Amino acid sequence: GAVVSQHPSRVICKSGTSVKIECRSLDFQATTMFWYRQFPKQSLMLMATSNEGSKATYEQGVEKDKFLINHASLTLSTLTVTSAHPEDSSFYICSAREGEGSGNTIYFGEGSWLTVV
Amino acid sequence: AQTVTQSQPEMSVQEAETVTLSCTYDTSESNYYLFWYKQPPSRQMILVIRQEAYKQQNATENRFSVNFQKAAKSFSLKISDSQLGDTAMYFCAFMKHGGGADGLTFGKGTHLIIQP
């Protein structure tokens, strides 16, 4: 089946710095990718929808200037957490849709643990 | 907007037993997809089963089957002959048909524990 790769799986950064997380669709083109955040023992919360070649669509309450999303190609979307603070520490997961004509199957990356110290 | 409700925060059954996880949803859409995802301790989201709303027949994948009641907006997951490896968080999810910019809407999840 289709594979979505997310990198890094774990990252620790200092407060005030920025960190980038990559999401790649390895064997299919993804015009749309999604970024979720998951707090401990909670469900996945959709942060934003990443559209290739256009601006991301952010969910209400998500700061677009803090969580920068870039979808530069059909196989890569990146999430950059800018000026990170300890409260940004969380598990971030991306997913990608395998095209409109394939039944709208969505595949998930392995997730990235972000710890801000 | 869609909402997905999972009313069972945690369930525990003995190995080899059958267990049913409940899920209800609310939507004004007439056509959509429903999913069950499994999230083991590794945190990898694994698709267990999916159902197209326009199909009356309940989806089945080996030991996993659903009871889809469209009028009642109910989508329960039945796991037969449960195994220790089934221990995980299970999330019910909704997605509008047609895709586009809409992602998945998840329920809060059910923590399923299979006891040896």
Side-chain angles (χ1 to χ4, degrees), chain B residues 26-104:
Chain B
D26 190 22
T27 183
S28 58
E29 301 288 329
S30 59
N31 207 0
Y32 45 86
Y33 297 92
L34 294 164
F35 305 84
W36 278 99
Y37 279 90
K38 171 184 177 181
Q39 189 181 43
S42 68
R43 293 283 191 130
Q44 174 72 55
M45 294 291 285
I46 301 167
L47 177 64
V48 174
I49 200 165
R50 73 178 225 162
Q51 174 84 40
E52 289 89 344
Y54 63 87
K55 290 186 177 180
Q56 291 186 339
Q57 186 173 7
N58 289 324
T60 300
E61 288 287 342
N62 300 315
R63 298 183 294 109
F64 300 88
S65 61
V66 298
N67 183 2
F68 174 48
Q69 302 291 327
K70 190 172 184 179
K73 295 181 180 174
S74 171
F75 183 62
S76 62
L77 173 70
K78 185 172 83 170
I79 305 174
S80 303
D81 186 26
S82 58
Q83 301 174 359
L84 296 179
D86 295 333
T87 293
M89 284 292 294
Y90 286 81
F91 293 100
C92 178
F94 173 101
M95 185 175 73
K96 290 196 295 185
H97 186 267
D102 294 303
L104 292 161

Side-chain angles (χ1 to χ4, degrees), chain A residues 36 38 43 49 97 100 103 106, chain B residues 39 43 50 98 102 104 107:
Chain A
Y36 295 85
Q38 186 178 29
S43 187
T49 301
R97 185 195 308 280
E100 297 302 319
I106 294 182
Chain B
Q39 189 181 43
R43 293 283 191 130
R50 73 178 225 162
D102 294 303
L104 292 161

Side-chain angles (χ1 to χ4, degrees), chain A residues 16-84:
Chain A
T17 63
S18 296
V19 61
K20 181 185 290 186
I21 301 170
E22 294 186 345
C23 180
R24 293 181 184 274
S25 56
L26 297 184
D27 54 2
F28 66 98
Q29 294 183 331
T31 55
T32 305
M33 291 185 174
F34 305 92
W35 287 96
Y36 295 85
R37 182 173 181 175
Q38 186 178 29
F39 291 102
K41 297 186 178 181
Q42 293 191 23
S43 187
L44 283 74
M45 179 190 76
L46 180 64
M47 298 175 64
T49 301
S50 172
N51 305 298
E52 188 270 334
S54 65
K55 292 183 178 180
T57 304
Y58 290 82
E59 295 299 302
Q60 191 173 11
V62 178
E63 299 176 61
K64 60 181 180 181
D65 293 330
K66 181 169 188 60
F67 299 99
L68 300 179
I69 291 172
N70 184 281
H71 197 149
S73 76
L74 286 171
T75 59
L76 174 64
S77 175
T78 60
L79 167 67
T80 300
V81 183
T82 63
S83 186

